[in-house]
Amino acid sequence: MDCGRLGALMFAVAVAGAGSVATAADDETCAACHGQRGGEARFVDMEAFGASIHGKNRCVSCHADAVEVPHPAKLVPVSCSRCHRVESQIYLQSDHGRAVARGQSEAAACKDCHGHTHTLQNSRKAASPVNRRNIERTCARCHENGAMMSKFQLSEQHPVVSYDLTVHGTAARQGRLNSAVCTDCHGSHDLHGASNGASRIFWRNTPETCGRCHANVLSVYKMSIHGQAAAQGIKEAPVCTSCHGEHTIRPMTDKSSLVYRGAVTKTCAGCHAQERVALKFGLPADRLPSYLDTYHGLAAKRGDLRVANCASCHGFHDILPSSDPRSSINRVNLAGTCGRCHPGASERLAKGWVHGPPGSKHWSLTLARWFYLIVIPLTIGGMVLHNLLDLVRKAQRPSHVPAGTPEGLRLTIGERWQHGINLVCFVALAYSGFALKYPDSTWLALLAPLGEAGRRGLHRWTALAFCLLAVYHLGYLALAARGRKILRELLPGPGDVREVFARLRYYLGAGPAPEHGHGHFHYAEKVEYWSLVWGSFVMIVTGVILIFNNVAMRHFEPWLPDLATIIHFYEAILACTAIVVWHFYLVIFDPDIYPMNMAWLTGYIRRRTPGAKEKDR
């Protein structure tokens, strides 16, 4: 200790011991007692205090009742408001300030955020708890303390942990000082809960809060129909957090982001699919269903990120009603909007409808849907009835029907290869196609690791293989002698009609069991073959339209892809169901064939029913 401080200490002790009149306190006098470790007086690191933001102040500036030495043993608590009057008035109205006034010890007071007054640093100093780099840790001391915060029922149980995962938290960890921290959104001395109209995060104030950093976005949002509605006090109007989230804000490239391309439609539907919102503001209630029924909607449901979502057409911060000439969906601007994705097809697309009123869609779409809704039950129902009649009639025969002998060669090795490739293609096309239509279905989870792009690639490459097989088969039928003979035998004729009626009489017990045709296919096989030909033709044509949709829309009407989508889907349902009901019965469950027609492996067929055998072809 230097001589000056020692002398001051000795003088203070002497005065106190003698009970003489107290002397005026100055910083040196205070340091004589409080600057010593281990003494009775509370220790103050005078060197640290001198380096603090308060270091130029006198001790009595804060400890106003210690103007004389000796001073009272218990001093009046220091009030920061003596100097920081404006900040204190604001703080006392905040949630923290009111909680402190109520005596809640957990509530943050000045020192809890800024640090102890004797060591308090300027917020620009890296050591300050309220330096931008340290704000997160400072708030976390209380708000990440689950035991402390549990009784306050806050909406965010772990706000700092969730903040760290956001785009703002990521930027802060990277050292970017312009990234938003807790106080930028919630305030500091003026902190209030989200339900308080004075809060920065009150729904109506949110755009201005975010706009402090995102000024350009704010100016565009204010012009939009959402911004105008929010300014009028309409609570249903979306603000920044309605679409981007709060402690869940992610980059738009993040799959967990509310504004990720694959999530935008769901985010918009959160409001626009609500019946209450639609009724209150006179909005069409079918916005989401009418979009999901389109080519865009169906592709979006299967995970295709390239197709148009809500924001692709309507915009995002600049959304305006279609009646506004500045709107991207105004009739004058539609060609340019559609042309962003469909160059050359924009004029035709501008004439179409996406969210048209009832009856605005092309009549062909409704006709196609109703056609299949009628044809599929009738077709499959007829097949089921035919097979049941056949099964019941054959079950009435004696059990000692001979197993029979192999018939003549049914399929050559080349024909078996064609059947095998067709089998693999059909299964792969059906499974991958339904996986694209219903990407979240459990029974289609086998292809989930491939993602939408992988499922789409599998479907299209398999479709190409199927098309090549079809070309080969047509060449086989036209150029090979055996192929031409098979084609002639597959052509329907009067004999098939007679066989149908003979079999019906047999099923009804009015006649004997008819024999299978000699040297040709019976009517059930012909029905199956020509159904396959027709279905393949329809699936190939509609598939090509869907793959080359831009070309189709450039040269044809805009409803054509939607029509192709409907037909492709329902034709797939019809084909798959027919295979299970018709083909499986003919080659597996038919009592004359059971347990299986082995021609697809061995080339030969064995029937149990006695009768004429097919000749070698």
Side-chain angles (χ1 to χ4, degrees):
M1 181 185 297
D2 57 46
C3 296
R5 289 192 177 184
L6 179 60
L9 175 61
M10 294 176 64
F11 175 76
V13 171
V15 170
S20 59
V21 178
T23 185
D26 55 26
D27 288 356
E28 288 294 322
T29 303
C30 295
C33 292
H34 292 281
Q36 311 303 314
R37 294 182 184 275
E40 294 185 5
R42 182 178 180 180
F43 172 71
V44 175
D45 188 333
M46 301 305 293
E47 183 177 351
F49 172 71
S52 74
I53 196 170
H54 289 147
K56 296 181 179 179
N57 296 340
R58 299 175 57 206
C59 300
V60 293
S61 299
C62 297
H63 302 283
D65 52 345
V67 293
E68 295 180 334
V69 177
H71 58 67
K74 187 174 182 180
L75 299 177
V76 175
V78 173
S79 174
C80 300
S81 62
R82 291 186 59 191
C83 296
H84 304 283
R85 296 182 179 86
V86 175
E87 293 91 336
S88 295
Q89 290 177 2
I90 296 173
Y91 167 78
L92 290 174
Q93 297 302 315
S94 72
D95 285 5
H96 287 157
R98 291 184 177 185
V100 168
R102 292 194 299 267
Q104 287 183 337
S105 59
E106 298 89 354
C110 305
K111 290 191 292 185
D112 294 312
C113 299
H114 291 272
H116 198 281
T117 50
H118 293 145
T119 58
L120 192 148
Q121 298 289 317
N122 187 298
S123 63
R124 296 182 179 84
K125 294 292 184 68
S128 171
V130 292
N131 180 273
R132 289 191 64 82
R133 296 181 185 274
N134 303 325
I135 288 289
E136 179 185 349
R137 289 195 296 272
T138 298
C139 296
R141 287 205 300 265
C142 294
H143 286 277
E144 283 300 321
N145 187 329
M148 181 188 296
M149 294 291 107
S150 60
K151 70 178 185 179
F152 297 109
Q153 298 179 341
L154 302 178
S155 58
E156 288 286 341
Q157 297 300 314
H158 297 284
V160 178
V161 172
S162 58
Y163 164 80
D164 282 340
L165 300 175
T166 67
V167 65
H168 295 145
T170 301
R173 289 197 307 274
Q174 294 171 350
R176 294 167 56 183
L177 294 179
N178 60 345
S179 62
V181 295
C182 311
T183 51
D184 292 318
C185 301
H186 295 273
S188 49
H189 300 119
D190 58 342
L191 188 147
H192 299 282
S195 60
N196 190 323
S199 172
R200 294 189 185 187
I201 57 173
F202 180 66
W203 70 270
R204 195 171 182 176
N205 301 332
T206 298
E208 293 294 338
T209 298
C210 299
R212 294 175 180 176
C213 296
H214 305 283
N216 292 335
V217 173
L218 176 62
S219 61
V220 175
Y221 168 79
K222 284 183 174 180
M223 176 193 70
S224 73
I225 190 170
H226 291 156
Q228 294 176 40
Q232 294 170 11
I234 298 175
K235 294 182 178 180
E236 293 81 3
V239 294
C240 312
T241 51
S242 305
C243 302
H244 294 274
E246 300 164 347
H247 279 241
T248 57
I249 299 174
R250 304 285 192 275
M252 62 179 297
T253 55
D254 190 322
K255 291 184 178 180
S256 61
S257 171
L258 295 175
V259 293
Y260 177 65
R261 284 192 62 87
V264 166
T265 299
K266 183 178 180 181
T267 298
C268 296
C271 293
H272 286 276
Q274 289 188 33
E275 183 178 359
R276 178 183 62 84
V277 174
L279 289 175
K280 182 174 181 179
F281 300 102
L283 300 174
D286 67 339
R287 282 301 189 230
L288 181 62
S290 60
Y291 164 76
L292 294 177
D293 283 343
T294 65
Y295 173 81
H296 290 150
L298 292 171
K301 281 195 294 186
R302 69 174 185 249
D304 191 339
L305 299 179
R306 301 171 303 164
V307 297
N309 53 42
C310 306
S312 305
C313 302
H314 294 271
F316 27 94
H317 299 124
D318 58 343
I319 297 175
L320 292 167
S322 59
S323 58
D324 192 313
R326 299 170 297 172
S327 171
S328 57
I329 57 170
N330 183 272
R331 300 297 295 182
V332 176
N333 303 324
L334 267 180
T337 300
C338 299
R340 296 172 191 166
C341 300
H342 305 285
S346 53
E347 292 297 334
R348 288 185 177 273
L349 287 174
K351 299 176 184 178
W353 287 95
V354 176
H355 298 295
S360 65
K361 292 186 177 181
H362 197 266
W363 58 267
S364 64
L365 307 183
T366 303
L367 179 62
R369 183 175 283 107
W370 276 107
F371 172 80
Y372 279 102
L373 290 177
I374 294 172
V375 168
I376 291 176
L378 290 178
T379 302
I380 301 304
M383 290 178 175
V384 170
L385 179 61
H386 173 278
N387 294 344
L388 283 176
L389 289 172
D390 187 76
L391 182 63
V392 170
R393 194 69 179 89
K394 290 176 178 177
Q396 297 173 354
R397 297 180 310 190
S399 59
H400 62 274
V401 174
T405 57
E407 299 180 359
L409 183 66
R410 185 75 167 180
L411 296 174
T412 65
I413 184 66
E415 292 163 357
R416 277 175 269 164
W417 270 106
Q418 291 183 54
H419 178 274
I421 296 173
N422 183 65
L423 170 63
V424 172
C425 288
F426 186 91
V427 173
L429 283 170
Y431 194 81
S432 60
F434 286 116
L436 288 170
K437 174 70 174 178
Y438 305 106
D440 298 325
S441 297
T442 304
W443 66 281
L444 297 168
L446 183 63
L447 297 183
L450 297 180
E452 195 279 334
R455 295 192 295 268
R456 184 175 65 245
L458 174 62
H459 192 72
R460 292 185 175 182
W461 281 108
T462 307
L464 177 61
F466 182 81
C467 292
L468 295 175
L469 175 64
V471 172
Y472 176 85
H473 183 68
L474 290 174
Y476 178 72
L477 294 178
L479 303 178
R482 178 176 169 83
R484 291 193 297 270
K485 181 181 179 182
I486 290 176
L487 180 59
R488 288 194 300 269
E489 293 178 348
L490 282 169
L491 293 175
D496 298 305
V497 178
R498 289 192 294 270
E499 186 179 354
V500 169
F501 283 104
R503 191 157 293 277
L504 285 175
R505 288 193 298 270
Y506 167 66
Y507 291 155
L508 299 175
E515 294 182 354
H516 289 295
H518 294 271
H520 66 278
F521 299 93
H522 63 82
Y523 72 91
E525 294 170 319
K526 292 182 180 182
V527 167
E528 182 174 41
Y529 178 81
W530 291 110
S531 296
L532 173 63
V533 171
W534 170 251
S536 299
F537 173 77
V538 171
M539 296 299 282
I540 289 173
V541 171
T542 54
V544 168
I545 292 174
L546 294 177
I547 292 175
F548 301 102
N549 61 85
N550 274 334
V551 176
M553 289 186 290
R554 189 177 301 127
H555 299 287
F556 301 99
E557 295 302 319
W559 46 263
L560 185 61
D562 289 340
L563 178 62
T565 300
I566 293 172
I567 295 176
H568 202 77
F569 171 64
Y570 283 112
E571 192 69 30
I573 292 178
L574 178 58
C576 292
T577 311
I579 287 293
V580 173
V581 173
W582 192 255
H583 185 69
F584 281 12
Y585 181 79
L586 293 181
V587 301
I588 299 176
F589 301 109
D590 184 345
D592 292 345
I593 296 297
Y594 188 81
M596 182 178 287
N597 180 348
M598 301 300 293
W600 68 290
L601 291 176
T602 65
Y604 294 90
I605 183 174
R606 184 189 299 269
R607 300 185 191 276
R608 280 193 172 84
T609 53
K613 311 292 190 298
E614 289 188 350
K615 299 176 181 178
D616 288 355
R617 292 189 179 88

